[in-house]
Amino acid sequence: NDTERLMEITELQKEHGIVCSSYGTYFRLAETQIEELESYIQAAKILGTNILRLWCGRKSGKDMADAEKNDLFEVCKRAADIAKAADVTLCMECHKKTFTENPDDAVRLMETIHSPHFRMYWQPFQWQEPRENVINATKISNFVEHIHVFNWKGERKLPLADAVDEWREYIKAFSVPRTLLLEFMPNGTLEELERETAAMKIIIG
């Protein structure tokens, strides 16, 4: 809701030649009041994007009762309708302890909502083997807009250059090009950005 700060960020984007690909919100469906979604959408538009990242609940589907799932789906339908009216796209974070952590649940949700304004992000799970991540990416590839790029193995954050071949296999799971978002620096330092960016350029050729 801080319009002045949003405008400052927009001016900084212009100054440094940055285009905003999405607004990575922490709006959590079925928890954040749905009436607040409009203000998030307005913020995204000020930043120059029509894509917003949202979180889908706070539980895995396997930990939810049917009534909880039905309530979540109803909220998702309302959110999709709001997004359609505003001509924006809401993308669910692909993350542990959310309904969309499991690709089968994510596909079920996408097929149920059935809206071009309600889609997915994707990222590999650092606790799974690359082969399993490729299988999961393939399952939801038709519903994905953006991809979070990083190289984690369990709790360890590693240089992206060590996972070039792995990431080339991940990208093959998507039939059309997607926006790649370099999400983390291994040690969280600005000095690593040039090296990590160079690795991502190698991945995409």
Side-chain angles (χ1 to χ4, degrees):
N1 293 312
D2 189 346
T3 302
E4 183 176 342
R5 180 60 178 149
L6 290 165
M7 293 301 298
E8 289 175 0
I9 295 169
T10 300
E11 289 304 313
L12 286 169
Q13 289 179 158
K14 292 177 182 177
E15 181 181 342
H16 294 282
I18 294 172
V19 176
C20 183
S21 62
S22 57
Y23 180 21
T25 81
Y26 286 89
F27 190 103
R28 199 175 285 266
L29 289 164
E31 186 168 305
T32 311
Q33 292 296 313
I34 194 68
E35 291 77 14
E36 295 182 31
L37 184 55
E38 293 279 6
S39 64
Y40 283 81
I41 290 172
Q42 291 308 310
K45 289 188 173 184
I46 292 172
L47 294 171
T49 182
N50 65 349
I51 295 179
L52 293 83
R53 185 279 304 272
L54 274 64
W55 298 62
C56 197
R58 194 177 283 277
K59 291 183 182 179
S60 168
K62 62 181 172 55
D63 296 327
M64 296 176 70
D66 288 343
E68 283 183 286
K69 292 179 185 177
N70 291 336
D71 289 345
L72 176 62
F73 279 33
E74 285 303 313
V75 172
C76 290
K77 289 176 183 176
R78 288 182 63 192
D81 288 342
I82 292 169
K84 180 180 179 180
D87 194 26
V88 298
T89 301
L90 309 178
C91 293
M92 302 302 103
E93 177 81 352
C94 178
H95 207 281
K96 289 291 187 184
K97 295 184 180 179
T98 69
F99 185 79
T100 47
E101 75 165 27
N102 179 297
D104 294 325
D105 284 338
V107 169
R108 177 188 169 196
L109 177 63
M110 293 297 112
E111 290 180 343
T112 300
I113 304 305
H114 191 62
S115 170
H117 298 276
F118 196 90
R119 299 202 21 106
M120 287 289 303
Y121 272 28
W122 182 80
Q123 65 189 47
F125 287 144
Q126 64 265 37
W127 303 102
Q128 293 177 342
E129 292 297 318
R131 180 174 174 275
E132 189 173 0
N133 281 322
V134 170
I135 292 171
N136 291 344
T138 302
K139 285 182 179 180
I140 69 168
S141 62
N142 290 337
F143 304 104
V144 170
E145 288 291 326
H146 290 354
I147 299 171
H148 279 156
V149 178
F150 52 79
N151 181 24
W152 283 24
K153 295 293 182 284
E155 296 288 352
R156 295 182 300 148
K157 297 179 181 179
L158 303 169
L160 188 58
D162 296 347
V164 167
D165 291 340
E166 190 175 308
W167 267 99
R168 283 177 172 166
E169 290 303 309
Y170 292 158
I171 290 172
K172 288 178 185 176
F174 299 90
S175 57
V176 297
R178 299 299 182 195
T179 298
L180 305 180
L181 306 178
L182 189 59
E183 190 171 17
F184 295 104
M185 299 298 102
N187 297 302
T189 67
L190 183 61
E191 288 73 22
E192 298 170 282
L193 179 59
E194 186 174 353
R195 182 193 69 195
E196 294 298 288
T197 302
M200 188 154 74
K201 289 180 178 179
I202 291 171
I203 288 168
I204 63 177

